[in-house]
Amino acid sequence: MMWQRDVDLVVPLWQGGDDVRVAAGAAALARLVPSGGSRLHVSVSDGARDVVDGVRNLDVVASTVRGLRERLARRDPARALTLGGDCVSDVAVAEHLAGRYPDLVVYWVDAHADLNTPASSPSGKAHGMGLRLLLGEGHGRLLGAAGARVAASRVTLVGARDLDRGELEFMRAAGMAWVDPVEVITDPDRVVAGRAPGTPAYVHLDVDVCDPVDLPAVACPTPQGPLVDSVAAALAAISAHHEVVGVGVCEYVPVIEHERAKMEALLGALGLAAPRDASRAAPA
Ligand SMILES: [Mn+2]
């Protein structure tokens, strides 16, 4: 069954990770995912390539996020899909939906926690700050409105395995739910444990959550992750348990050789493509 939404935003933002290859990911996803009806292609300007206040390419990242917020405020979609782009490309949509649904829960399905601030980030890359922004902390030019924030208790990290020291400390202090890669592999249905059925959910899918052996087409390959089938099972469990109101797909690098069926399996689990068995298309 296809997932219904009001708008698709195609956001080729790459400056947040400073890796231009993810811009092509947005266009490739726009081809893989049949349009939900209304599809907006967002243009990303080529701003100054410098570090400001500890954030790389701050000007262009901030202006892109601001432009997205303005569009979302005008259209006020009840359900929205972002085809990114880096891991900042969908933050404005997640904020918008958090403002609309006070009981929104967020699944951050990603090898990384994206919980850095400009002060804690070793790289200064905004794509490692997205979830922290959604929680209401970060550079003032990237932060959204106070009414569009999510409490840490409403966030579940899924498949995270490469956390910076500051992120780990923050996550533990905040008591954030964390389903580690082994748990995703052994019992993907448990990903929704503790969350009330039928509540609205936002799914941030950074495809680097998958083990790069299975899906190498990512900007930040991170070993020791779950295979695509396990991630797809976890995504299907989220879709079955919740009313999914928003999805963001990020950090896909189509220029790296990979099996297209793996991407289709992930997208299919979220109702964004016809579901199919990824293992069937694997080379014998
Ligand atoms: Mn990631």
Side-chain angles (χ1 to χ4, degrees):
M1 198 171 65
M2 294 300 285
W3 176 59
Q4 303 298 316
R5 65 274 181 191
D6 302 318
V7 65
D8 298 351
L9 294 158
V10 183
V11 185
L13 179 67
W14 57 271
Q15 287 90 342
D18 212 27
D19 184 340
V20 74
R21 299 175 304 167
V22 302
L29 285 167
R31 287 190 296 273
L32 281 171
V33 177
S35 171
S38 179
R39 178 165 280 180
L40 292 175
H41 290 261
V42 174
S43 65
V44 175
S45 63
D46 203 10
R49 301 280 306 280
D50 52 4
V51 180
V52 178
D53 303 338
V55 182
R56 203 171 286 267
N57 307 327
L58 176 66
D59 283 348
V60 66
V61 175
S63 68
T64 304
V65 174
R66 190 174 59 240
L68 284 165
R69 286 191 186 115
E70 287 165 2
R71 280 175 182 239
L72 289 160
R74 280 199 302 274
R75 297 177 73 102
D76 194 25
R79 291 166 169 238
L81 169 68
T82 306
L83 301 173
D86 61 41
C87 275
V88 198
S89 14
D90 69 328
V91 169
V93 170
E95 287 169 352
H96 169 77
L97 295 168
R100 235 175 180 275
Y101 305 95
D103 54 345
L104 185 77
V105 296
V106 172
Y107 290 89
W108 203 265
V109 186
D110 194 322
H112 311 93
D114 300 349
L115 285 171
N116 272 305
T117 63
S120 75
S121 171
S123 69
K125 291 178 183 172
H127 76 159
M129 305 175 188
L131 179 53
R132 192 67 173 266
L133 288 167
L134 190 57
L135 299 174
E137 291 176 273
H139 195 285
R141 287 180 59 199
L142 299 177
L143 275 177
R149 287 173 190 170
V150 174
S153 60
R154 293 196 163 276
V155 177
T156 301
L157 300 176
V158 180
R161 55 190 179 275
D162 182 12
L163 282 75
D164 295 317
R165 188 195 171 92
E167 294 183 298
L168 203 56
E169 286 167 2
F170 175 84
M171 197 239 338
R172 294 220 164 111
M176 194 174 281
W178 178 16
V179 181
D180 70 27
V182 172
E183 293 169 299
V184 175
I185 294 163
T186 54
D187 197 357
D189 291 339
R190 288 264 311 152
V191 75
V192 298
R195 302 295 180 195
T199 44
Y202 184 82
V203 181
H204 167 93
L205 172 62
D206 176 337
V207 294
D208 72 16
V209 69
C210 302
D211 195 291
V213 166
D214 210 24
L215 183 62
V218 300
C220 304
T222 309
Q224 302 197 313
L227 299 182
V228 165
D229 283 351
S230 295
V231 175
L235 296 171
I238 294 167
S239 296
H241 189 76
H242 289 281
E243 186 200 344
V244 174
V245 295
V247 173
V249 186
C250 306
E251 303 275 341
Y252 175 42
V253 178
V255 72
I256 298 172
E257 191 175 9
H258 64 290
E259 292 169 47
R260 192 171 123 148
K262 303 287 183 180
M263 283 301 294
E264 288 170 343
L266 293 174
L267 297 168
L270 291 167
L272 294 173
R276 51 188 280 187
D277 181 0
S279 59
R280 219 183 311 163

